[in-house]
Amino acid sequence: MRHILLLLVFLTTSSIAQNIYPQDYFRSPLDIELVLSGTFAELRSNHFHSGLDIKTKQREGLSVYAAASGYISRIKISHYGYGKAIYITHPNGYVTVHGHLQRFSDKVEAYVKKHQYEKESFEIELFPDMNDLIVTKGEVFAYSGNTGGSGGPHLHFEIRDNQERPINPLLFGLKVKDSKKPIVKSMYAYPINDLSHVNGSNLKQKLRVIPQKNGDYKVEDLTAYGKIGFAVNTIDQQDLAANKNGVYKIETFYNGAQNFTIDFRKFSFDETKHLNRLIDYTHYKDEKERLQKLFLDTNNPLSLYKDKIDDGYLVIYDTVSNVYKVKISDFEGNETNIDVNIKGEDKQPNDVSKNFTSPYYIKSGEANVLENQNIKVEFPRETFYDDFFIDFRVNGDTLKLHENNLASKKYFTISYDVSNYNPEDLKQVYIARLVGWNNFLSYSSTQRKDNTLFTRTKNLGTYCLARDTVNPTITPISFKDGQWLSKYRFLKVKIDDKHTGISNYRATLNGQWILMEYDYKKKTLTYDFNDKVVTDTKNNLKIIVTDNVGNSSTFEASFFRK
């Protein structure tokens, strides 16, 4: 009887642990069926996706509803990132986040524009008091859009706990149709040290993955010896979308015993950059494919891992057959299995990886400084995950700083001593990174202190000094100088800069600052006449646009309105 009671307690406790999030508290933020273009914890560039990307039928302007009652606790408007974003704090301690919004409801819009005009800035961050902007569950407080770094119209939706940690919103009862099993794109095996081998090789091996009729996969039998690990490229798709989304859980089993789990239900923003330790970062940079390592690499602080038997590695010494299995699950419980049969084979590997060496060695646990001629590179302690030989070469003003295929955890500084340059020649000089097959000059945010130009970056690669002498361009879109605009709602101009990009802009009407919203994707500035700044019949418009090295252009025009 005692055993039965203990079992019931265990089952009850387990059930509660699996369902610790309120199921009926939050409603959907949209009034359409939820179809996702992005899933929670999906692998993105240098971070995990912190919410759901909900499709809006390729349209903007859909009503966005408060998922629960609360108050708007934060409003952030930026050119990039989430664009126009609203944060709502709820009485139960959770915060919902809504990004890439087109516009706000009237009461929120009036609150925001008041502060934008006071600060004379489109980009703004506000923290309203809890009684300023109260919302009730189901209230429309904004409209969906495509602002910021969005690649198309959609709503970015998050749920965070009271420690600002994002949690998968599907855990709160939101539903998405998904009856499809995850898909395996590729799988690799890694000999971990010089004595290990897979199929007779000490090099990383791409495995032949064979689809089975039931949707699972089998890997062609392989031989191995010593300490090895595996990595997989896997995606998930929902019923109503063709997007290649992230999975919910990956588990591995060795000879029937579970030995590794990656659980993507929540994470903290402090750790999101360490996605680059979960994936094979060098492979991603070289091959544009994200392989998720099914073992815990050194100096990996991610909290996603469970059941870490031998940190997910396999150690194979005997000649008997071993069975390795990978189980990949999506949120709805659809499962895909990969079966790998491994036979131990003790022999010398046919080929051994050749490690790069140079006179310069980076110790990850120490601060490192590299210096040659007029160029200095300063790496703070623990910039990288591992120690390594770095390719550091200087030729004139060109710096070769390894290949850009190693992940950095911190920003490091590249400095140029420019004391030998004519001061007049330095006014428009900046530090650029050479990108792509054609060595495109990519502006790296450059500052000057006395006779030093410097930039802070996380990217290795090739850098040089470049000069930008070209002014930004300003072109009217919807009007001409001297035109009557009485029937117009918006005033639009296009701004662009060829080399270093737009740094700032300022627009005035009859000498008074006006709010012009900047859309960097469309390269447009837009003024809304509903702001009611215009009161005169004749109006003089002036726009000044400056690029990142100080080149400036001025546009002036007049228009009439009654």
Side-chain angles (χ1 to χ4, degrees):
M1 185 68 180
R2 181 173 179 271
H3 292 299
I4 295 175
L5 288 174
L6 287 174
L7 178 61
L8 287 172
V9 170
F10 173 78
L11 290 174
T12 303
T13 304
S14 299
S15 176
I16 293 173
Q18 291 295 318
N19 195 20
I20 62 175
Y21 304 104
Q23 296 300 291
D24 300 315
Y25 191 87
F26 294 109
R27 58 152 286 168
S28 169
L30 297 175
D31 256 354
I32 58 175
E33 185 171 16
L34 292 187
V35 181
L36 305 182
S37 59
T39 51
F40 182 81
E42 192 170 275
L43 310 183
R44 301 288 178 88
S45 293
N46 301 312
H47 69 283
F48 295 102
H49 188 231
S50 55
L52 304 178
D53 282 345
I54 305 174
K55 288 176 176 283
T56 55
K57 299 183 176 180
Q58 300 180 338
R59 304 200 312 264
E60 298 184 41
L62 274 64
S63 296
V64 180
Y65 300 87
S69 296
Y71 73 98
I72 295 176
S73 53
R74 183 184 179 193
I75 304 169
K76 186 173 183 180
I77 298 177
S78 57
H79 299 147
Y80 310 105
Y82 289 172
K84 294 184 178 182
I86 282 186
Y87 300 67
I88 299 177
T89 296
H90 305 281
N92 64 353
Y94 291 103
V95 175
T96 50
V97 183
H98 317 77
H100 310 304
L101 301 170
Q102 180 196 57
R103 57 190 174 90
F104 308 129
S105 66
D106 289 345
K107 72 174 182 180
V108 180
E109 195 81 21
Y111 179 91
V112 172
K113 285 197 173 183
K114 176 179 179 293
H115 288 84
Q116 286 176 314
Y117 273 93
E118 286 176 353
K119 297 188 176 185
E120 296 191 352
S121 175
F122 167 63
E123 289 193 298
I124 198 167
E125 187 170 16
L126 304 170
F127 297 91
D129 291 335
M130 62 186 306
N131 294 318
D132 287 346
L133 295 171
I134 296 173
V135 294
T136 57
K137 186 173 183 177
E139 178 181 341
V140 176
F141 65 90
Y143 298 87
S144 67
N146 187 29
T147 56
S150 170
H154 72 277
L155 175 67
H156 175 86
F157 179 69
E158 296 179 22
I159 299 180
R160 300 181 184 179
D161 65 15
N162 57 11
Q163 298 181 52
E164 283 291 298
R165 294 175 300 190
I167 303 169
N168 191 335
L170 297 181
L171 289 165
F172 294 81
L174 300 182
K175 296 297 183 183
V176 176
K177 287 184 178 179
D178 184 3
S179 60
K180 296 181 180 180
K181 301 174 67 167
I183 299 168
V184 175
K185 308 290 285 187
S186 63
M187 189 171 182
Y188 284 74
Y190 292 68
I192 300 302
N193 54 47
D194 291 343
L195 300 177
S196 305
H197 63 77
V198 175
N199 289 336
S201 175
N202 185 240
L203 305 178
K204 178 177 70 178
Q205 296 292 301
K206 184 174 184 178
L207 306 177
R208 182 169 174 245
V209 179
I210 306 167
Q212 305 296 293
K213 291 182 178 180
N214 64 353
D216 289 337
Y217 297 83
K218 178 176 172 51
V219 169
E220 191 171 57
D221 292 353
L222 55 90
T223 62
Y225 178 82
K227 188 176 182 180
I228 66 172
F230 291 87
V232 64
N233 175 14
T234 180
I235 62 168
D236 187 46
Q237 291 183 311
Q238 284 83 45
D239 290 359
L240 302 176
N243 300 77
K244 299 175 181 178
N245 300 132
V247 301
Y248 181 67
K249 184 186 291 185
I250 305 177
E251 302 167 90
T252 68
F253 303 82
Y254 182 43
N255 291 332
Q258 188 164 8
N259 75 325
F260 200 67
T261 299
I262 310 174
D263 189 329
F264 293 103
R265 70 179 56 207
K266 67 178 179 179
F267 60 87
S268 71
F269 285 110
D270 289 340
E271 63 180 326
T272 189
K273 63 186 176 184
H274 297 298
L275 170 142
N276 290 329
R277 203 53 170 171
L278 165 70
I279 67 171
D280 183 337
Y281 186 80
T282 299
H283 184 92
Y284 167 65
K285 297 298 287 188
D286 293 343
E287 306 295 334
K288 309 305 178 191
E289 178 186 31
R290 289 189 177 97
L291 297 175
Q292 300 182 60
K293 292 181 285 191
L294 306 180
F295 53 88
L296 188 62
D297 213 340
T298 55
N299 300 316
N300 183 343
L302 287 170
S303 63
L304 307 173
Y305 302 107
K306 299 176 181 177
D307 309 314
K308 297 174 289 187
I309 307 302
D310 295 327
D311 287 337
Y313 295 104
L314 311 187
V315 180
I316 299 173
Y317 289 128
D318 52 41
T319 57
V320 301
S321 294
N322 301 274
V323 178
Y324 182 70
K325 181 177 180 178
V326 182
K327 182 169 73 173
I328 304 167
S329 309
D330 62 23
F331 183 82
E332 290 300 323
N334 301 302
E335 294 180 359
T336 295
N337 296 289
I338 311 171
D339 291 321
V340 186
N341 292 321
I342 310 167
K343 184 177 181 181
E345 185 175 78
D346 184 0
K347 69 175 185 178
Q348 290 297 316
N350 297 327
D351 45 19
V352 178
S353 58
K354 296 180 181 179
N355 297 319
F356 173 82
T357 61
S358 80
Y360 305 98
Y361 191 70
I362 299 297
K363 293 184 178 181
S364 61
E366 302 176 5
N368 296 266
V369 178
L370 306 176
E371 195 165 6
N372 191 342
Q373 299 177 40
N374 65 324
I375 300 177
K376 180 191 292 186
V377 184
E378 298 170 275
F379 298 107
R381 181 176 175 270
E382 295 184 350
T383 298
F384 300 99
Y385 291 97
D386 297 310
D387 301 346
F388 67 101
F389 285 100
I390 190 169
D391 187 3
F392 172 70
R393 289 174 281 161
V394 173
N395 183 9
D397 289 330
T398 300
L399 165 67
K400 171 67 175 179
L401 192 62
H402 214 75
E403 296 295 330
N404 188 30
N405 60 6
L406 294 179
S408 60
K409 295 185 279 185
K410 297 179 180 179
Y411 284 94
F412 55 89
T413 303
I414 300 173
S415 304
Y416 280 77
D417 181 348
V418 292
S419 56
N420 292 331
Y421 285 77
N422 185 322
E424 286 299 312
D425 295 336
L426 288 173
K427 289 183 177 178
Q428 298 149 318
V429 172
Y430 64 96
I431 300 173
R433 185 165 65 93
L434 277 59
V435 177
W437 61 270
N438 60 345
N439 286 331
F440 171 77
L441 293 175
S442 176
Y443 172 76
S444 186
S445 182
T446 305
Q447 300 180 56
R448 181 176 179 180
K449 184 177 182 181
D450 299 325
N451 290 320
T452 301
L453 290 178
F454 64 94
T455 185
R456 296 180 71 246
T457 180
K458 284 186 174 181
N459 293 303
L460 298 169
T462 302
Y463 289 81
C464 69
L465 293 183
R467 190 175 185 186
D468 178 6
T469 61
V470 181
N471 293 338
T473 58
I474 309 172
T475 309
I477 296 176
S478 60
F479 67 97
K480 297 179 181 179
D481 186 26
Q483 185 176 348
W484 281 88
L485 302 178
S486 300
K487 297 182 180 180
Y488 281 55
R489 164 75 187 272
F490 299 104
L491 185 72
K492 293 187 178 184
V493 300
K494 181 177 181 179
I495 62 174
D496 196 10
D497 187 74
K498 186 176 181 180
H499 295 294
T500 55
I502 304 297
S503 172
N504 58 74
Y505 63 91
R506 180 178 176 83
T508 59
L509 271 177
N510 304 325
Q512 181 179 351
W513 183 87
I514 58 170
L515 173 66
M516 296 199 82
E517 297 193 4
Y518 178 41
D519 184 336
Y520 80 94
K521 297 190 290 288
K522 296 180 180 178
K523 302 179 180 179
T524 56
L525 294 177
T526 302
Y527 168 69
D528 186 349
F529 282 113
N530 282 357
D531 288 358
K532 298 180 180 179
V533 173
V534 175
T535 57
D536 299 332
T537 300
K538 182 178 180 180
N539 298 273
N540 297 311
L541 172 68
K542 184 176 182 179
I543 302 173
I544 301 172
V545 179
T546 306
D547 68 16
N548 278 297
V549 296
N551 297 311
S552 183
S553 295
T554 301
F555 171 84
E556 294 186 85
S558 61
F559 63 86
F560 299 88
R561 187 175 172 87
K562 64 178 180 179

